[in-house]
Amino acid sequence: MTEKISDEAHAAYQRINATDDFAELKRSYFGFVVPLTIAFMAWYLLYVLMSIYAGGFMGHRLFGNINVALVFGLLQFVTTFGIAIWYARFAAERMDPIADRLRAEYEEEIEK
């Protein structure tokens, strides 16, 4: 079941959606997310392809029972957490101020 919003709230959203601030918010988001998603997927695909086609290299022991494949796998986790931390900082610094300002405008407009 969907919630019905008032015509005023819809009009306020449409107006804010057309602002330069909203366009900047979307541009910032996609400018961060798209390149990093492509880079991470390429990194992951490299891991998979190396595991399939370069078994000898991936099976090379670095020390003890630790081989290249295990290090690559662990680096996938490190990369994931690194990107998440980077995004949180980026959003707090560049996107949250714009989003907070737009939210305040929206709430002020619909409370009238």
Side-chain angles (χ1 to χ4, degrees):
M1 184 172 186
T2 59
E3 181 181 342
K4 176 98 170 102
I5 62 169
S6 69
D7 291 336
E8 295 81 19
H10 183 69
Y13 173 78
Q14 292 293 2
R15 186 196 63 73
I16 288 172
N17 190 26
T19 64
D20 290 339
D21 278 345
F22 194 80
E24 175 61 28
L25 187 63
K26 290 191 302 187
R27 191 173 24 259
S28 291
Y29 175 76
F30 286 113
F32 185 92
V33 170
V34 171
L36 257 72
T37 299
I38 292 168
F40 182 79
M41 293 305 293
W43 163 235
Y44 176 72
L45 187 59
L46 173 68
Y47 172 61
V48 171
L49 292 174
M50 294 284 287
S51 295
I52 294 169
Y53 296 111
F57 172 72
M58 295 296 273
H60 177 76
R61 288 180 184 250
L62 298 174
F63 52 89
N65 288 329
I66 307 300
N67 62 16
V68 173
L70 181 60
V71 171
F72 264 50
L74 292 174
L75 286 174
Q76 294 290 317
F77 288 102
V78 171
T79 305
T80 300
F81 288 112
I83 290 171
I85 291 166
W86 187 11
Y87 176 75
R89 289 180 181 166
F90 174 83
E93 185 179 299
R94 300 241 347 246
M95 294 171 50
D96 288 352
I98 298 169
D100 291 342
R101 188 170 54 248
L102 290 172
R103 184 181 311 106
E105 286 178 30
Y106 174 78
E107 290 172 353
E108 180 181 316
E109 204 167 312
I110 63 170
E111 286 177 1
K112 288 180 182 178

